[in-house]
């Protein structure tokens, strides 16, 4: 593997780490909003769906970082 390829992988890992931080921040905001919104409302269902989607994105992000690090 060339140095150029290693640098490219490192940049990809850094981008994924930045994405992860943003996703975690958004997840925290959603959890705060869920405390205020009553059960059974449409807004709560939408927030729960968004939370599930973000959790899945974080899971996939973690896998991608792990795989890229294993290549280095």
């Amino acid at each position: 593997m060339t140095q150029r390829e290693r640098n490219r992988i490192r940049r990809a890992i850094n981008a994924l780490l930045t994405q992860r931080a943003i996703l975690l921040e958004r997840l925290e905001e959603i959890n705060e909003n869920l405390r205020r919104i009553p059960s059974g409302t449409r807004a709560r269902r939408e927030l729960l769906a968004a939370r599930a989607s973000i959790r899945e994105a974080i899971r996939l992000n973690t896998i991608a970082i792990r795989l890229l690090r294993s290549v280095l």
Side-chain angles (χ1 to χ4, degrees):
M1 179 181 302
T2 66
Q3 184 63 37
R4 183 177 181 197
E5 290 169 331
R6 282 191 289 276
N7 288 340
R8 193 171 181 193
I9 291 170
R10 285 188 185 106
R11 283 193 305 273
I13 291 171
N14 287 336
L16 286 167
L17 289 170
T18 300
Q19 179 189 50
R20 180 179 174 81
I22 291 167
L23 288 168
L24 288 170
E25 184 178 310
R26 183 67 181 127
L27 187 61
E28 186 178 316
E29 291 171 8
I30 287 173
N31 286 331
E32 287 175 18
N33 288 333
L34 280 171
R35 288 188 208 111
R36 291 185 224 121
I37 296 178
S39 296
T41 62
R42 179 179 176 185
R44 186 172 183 87
R45 285 191 305 274
E46 289 175 0
L47 282 174
L48 289 171
R51 182 173 72 174
S53 176
I54 290 173
R55 283 183 175 167
E56 180 65 8
I58 291 170
R59 186 184 74 80
L60 294 172
N61 177 288
T62 303
I63 292 168
I65 291 170
R66 187 179 326 124
L67 289 172
L68 285 171
R69 283 183 175 157
S70 73
V71 171
L72 289 178

